[in-house]
Amino acid sequence: MPMKRLQYLSIILLAAGAVSCGKEGLTQAEPERCLEILPSTGSGTTKGAVGSGPLDGSYTIFLSSYFNNMTASETSGNYFCGRPFSKDGDRWSATPTIWWPMGGSLDFLSLALKDRTLGSSAIWYSENVTKGVELEVPDGTCLDSEIMYSRASSRKAEEGTVSLDFSHSQAWVRFEFARYEPGTIRVDSLVIKKAYLGGTLRLENGVYLKAQWDFHGFFREDYTVAQSRNLLLSNPPTCIDLLLPEQQACDLEIWYTQRPTASSPWGAGSCHVASANVDPWHAGTKTTYTMIIHKKLEISASVSAWDEEPRPISIN
């Protein structure tokens, strides 16, 4: 799959009045004179991990904002960094409340994490017009916790809402074993050879929203898919889903045993190994491997969008 430039998300700089609610750390004006900053996942197109639907309360949104002072540019800078927002019903909000400043505008960058502890280790930074964040993803975290990112596109001035459209930072990989006569084939294990299971995710919010995985300091590992151990293939097809960082081609290694009929013992020495060099896994896409086991293993792969336009990211 050819690499594509990340979709550009425009941001509207919103001028406001003369009263100031103050920067974080300074005295804020009285709450009733200001609008509360409220993230919104907008039109319902935001996708949760392994599936579709609105971003739910199992996520925490970490939001950072850069203040553009239109009358005194030397005072521009970070308004707040990495503040957590939680969902209560249909509303995302921070505790304590964060208010919109007056006399300028805000740019936003956000992360949505299932593992809240990752948010506390994220590093938010600002340099000239480029705002960014990086966070280190420990080995194994990607297997059960989705990491999403977003740049704000606009806010509704009458509501104080920041509209966020999140992109996936990981690849959704599905292994699908086709139907068989029950009890004749058992998968002993499925191994992904030499895969990166973690890394550092870096985002930059400048003229374009850029993202990339950096694997310096991390090592390729052989990962045995836990759900594949002693998996007795049955009807309907068996599916296993994983979330992994975007990365170059890996090998798949599958060990399995067979028997002639459901009542026969598993044949001695009937263990097979099969490897398949697979295409790169791109963030925001879903790769499905359909596996057919007869006397030999046959694997076919198909790549599709993750219920949204694919947004591949580059690799250092």
Side-chain angles (χ1 to χ4, degrees):
M1 175 184 292
M3 299 298 289
K4 299 180 181 177
R5 171 168 286 186
L6 283 167
Q7 177 178 328
Y8 170 60
L9 302 177
S10 61
I11 185 164
I12 300 175
L13 303 183
L14 297 153
V19 179
S20 174
C21 289
K23 287 190 176 183
E24 188 175 55
L26 303 178
T27 302
Q28 295 187 338
E30 298 195 10
E32 60 267 21
R33 302 181 66 181
C34 304
L35 285 173
E36 182 180 357
I37 293 177
L38 300 170
S40 170
T41 54
S43 62
T45 57
T46 302
K47 303 300 184 294
V50 187
S52 61
L55 202 65
D56 61 36
S58 64
Y59 287 85
T60 300
I61 294 177
F62 292 88
L63 195 64
S64 180
S65 181
Y66 185 88
F67 178 67
N68 303 283
N69 192 322
M70 297 177 179
T71 58
S73 59
E74 69 276 5
T75 63
S76 297
N78 286 333
Y79 186 57
F80 57 86
C81 290
R83 293 289 294 275
F85 287 73
S86 300
K87 191 173 187 180
D88 184 7
D90 294 329
R91 186 177 186 268
W92 293 89
S93 60
T95 303
T97 299
I98 304 177
W99 306 101
W100 281 93
M102 298 298 180
S105 65
L106 295 178
D107 295 343
F108 292 92
L109 187 63
S110 59
L111 291 169
L113 305 175
K114 278 218 169 188
D115 184 347
R116 186 185 175 99
T117 60
L118 286 176
S120 61
S121 63
I123 300 173
W124 300 84
Y125 59 92
S126 171
E127 183 176 352
N128 299 326
V129 296
T130 299
K131 280 70 67 176
V133 62
E134 64 179 51
L135 71 162
E136 192 167 284
V137 184
D139 291 352
T141 298
C142 287
L143 303 180
D144 55 17
S145 182
E146 169 69 313
I147 301 171
M148 305 168 77
Y149 61 93
S150 173
R151 178 180 178 176
S153 56
S154 65
R155 77 169 171 99
K156 298 177 181 178
E158 70 276 9
E159 298 176 2
T161 303
V162 184
S163 180
L164 304 173
D165 180 17
F166 285 97
S167 299
H168 296 280
S169 69
Q170 297 171 95
W172 176 3
V173 182
R174 166 170 285 187
F175 300 100
E176 182 177 291
F177 295 92
R179 62 168 38 167
Y180 305 94
E181 180 184 346
T184 60
I185 296 176
R186 181 179 63 198
V187 175
D188 297 304
S189 64
L190 185 155
V191 182
I192 301 172
K193 305 287 287 185
K194 298 182 179 178
Y196 284 115
L197 304 181
T200 299
L201 180 64
R202 292 194 169 97
L203 311 177
E204 290 186 358
N205 182 15
V207 178
Y208 295 96
L209 180 64
K210 301 176 182 178
Q212 66 179 12
W213 281 95
D214 184 351
F215 297 114
H216 292 112
F218 288 77
F219 300 94
R220 291 186 177 275
E221 303 177 45
D222 292 348
Y223 174 71
T224 300
V225 180
Q227 304 95 308
S228 70
R229 294 182 183 275
N230 291 320
L231 179 65
L232 188 63
L233 300 183
S234 60
N235 187 4
T238 301
C239 294
I240 297 174
D241 294 295
L242 293 177
L243 296 173
L244 295 165
E246 177 177 275
Q247 55 196 288
Q248 298 298 327
C250 300
D251 281 339
L252 303 177
E253 184 175 281
I254 296 139
W255 292 77
Y256 64 97
T257 50
Q258 295 176 302
R259 56 185 180 182
T261 66
S263 60
S264 302
W266 296 104
S270 61
C271 194
H272 303 273
V273 181
S275 295
N277 189 260
V278 300
D279 292 329
W281 297 329
H282 296 297
T285 61
K286 173 185 175 183
T287 301
T288 300
Y289 294 97
T290 301
M291 302 186 178
I292 302 174
I293 303 176
H294 298 295
K295 291 185 177 179
K296 65 178 182 178
L297 178 69
E298 298 176 5
I299 301 177
S300 61
S302 63
V303 180
S304 61
W306 192 333
D307 295 330
E308 64 183 37
E309 182 180 350
R311 298 186 177 99
I313 54 181
S314 59
I315 303 170
N316 271 357

